[in-house]
Amino acid sequence: MKKAEAEDTLQFGEALKRLRLETKLSQTEFARRLGLSPTNVCDLEKGRVIPSVKRAIWIAQKLGVSERFFGASAQIFVAT
């Protein structure tokens, strides 16, 4: 994984975790809301899993936020 790609993944994960904490949900509750496993949410937050563009947009839509919420890394998620 390239350094820039790793930074984007970490930014996505940090933004996802920030959103989860702002909604005061545990990883289990957050995962249930997304229809994912708690392990998958943990892996996304820690940057161990890189979401596909389609998955990242799906997550943003499920959470009711713009894909731009995910910061600089969102530039790879913006549909043209």
Side-chain angles (χ1 to χ4, degrees):
M1 180 182 314
K2 296 177 186 174
K3 184 178 177 183
E5 188 176 88
E7 288 173 3
D8 284 347
T9 302
L10 188 56
Q11 287 178 348
F12 179 88
E14 289 171 344
L16 189 66
K17 183 174 183 177
R18 186 179 74 200
L19 183 59
R20 178 178 63 79
L21 294 175
E22 286 175 2
T23 58
K24 299 181 181 180
L25 295 172
S26 68
Q27 282 184 338
T28 301
E29 294 166 319
F30 199 65
R32 192 174 299 125
R33 181 179 281 185
L34 288 172
L36 301 173
S37 73
T39 302
N40 194 239
V41 170
C42 179
D43 289 343
L44 286 166
E45 287 183 356
K46 293 185 182 264
R48 292 189 292 235
V49 171
I50 301 168
S52 67
V53 171
K54 185 176 180 178
R55 176 63 70 151
I57 291 170
W58 177 84
I59 289 170
Q61 289 172 343
K62 282 287 259 189
L63 297 173
V65 297
S66 166
E67 55 271 3
R68 288 181 172 84
F69 173 83
F70 294 110
S73 62
Q75 292 187 13
I76 65 170
F77 305 129
V78 175
T80 55

